[in-house]
Amino acid sequence: MLYAIVGQDRPNSLAVRLAARPAHVDRLKVLQEQGRMILAGPFPAIDSSDPGPAGFSGSLIVADFASLDAAQAWADADPYVTAGVYTGVSVKPFKRAFPQ
């Protein structure tokens, strides 16, 4: 089943985010290689695809996991969580409607 993982960045976390990004991206690549990744990306803190020093306000990942518990465990182990980038992460079942 698909799950939406939404992380909320803590204020002024851009430097920590950038330091943790390579490990974060490596985990996303594993999901992609396994054919489980639907989409992933950050939320710019301002209305720009390149927010510069304004940074990001969080991230969205939609991927396939065996269960809600498995998705939550994966999210809890994310480098953005362990490095303190995120103030919190929500994990919810997701039903894809479009595109089909």
Side-chain angles (χ1 to χ4, degrees):
M1 178 164 187
L2 297 180
Y3 294 88
I5 300 169
V6 180
Q8 300 294 322
D9 283 23
R10 68 176 171 82
N12 303 311
S13 62
L14 182 58
V16 178
R17 176 185 262 273
L18 294 175
R21 187 173 189 278
H24 171 77
V25 169
D26 286 346
R27 294 181 83 233
L28 297 175
K29 287 180 180 178
V30 170
L31 290 177
Q32 184 177 13
E33 291 164 2
Q34 294 171 344
R36 298 168 48 202
M37 174 62 66
I38 303 302
L39 64 88
F43 299 119
I46 60 173
D47 189 13
S48 173
S49 62
D50 181 6
F56 301 91
S57 63
S59 302
L60 169 66
I61 299 164
V62 177
D64 187 20
F65 291 91
S67 67
L68 179 58
D69 288 342
Q72 186 69 59
W74 187 92
D76 290 344
D78 190 276
Y80 284 175
V81 171
T82 59
V85 174
Y86 293 155
T87 60
V89 178
S90 70
V91 180
K92 297 180 180 183
F94 180 81
K95 182 177 178 185
R96 181 177 177 161
F98 290 96
Q100 296 180 339

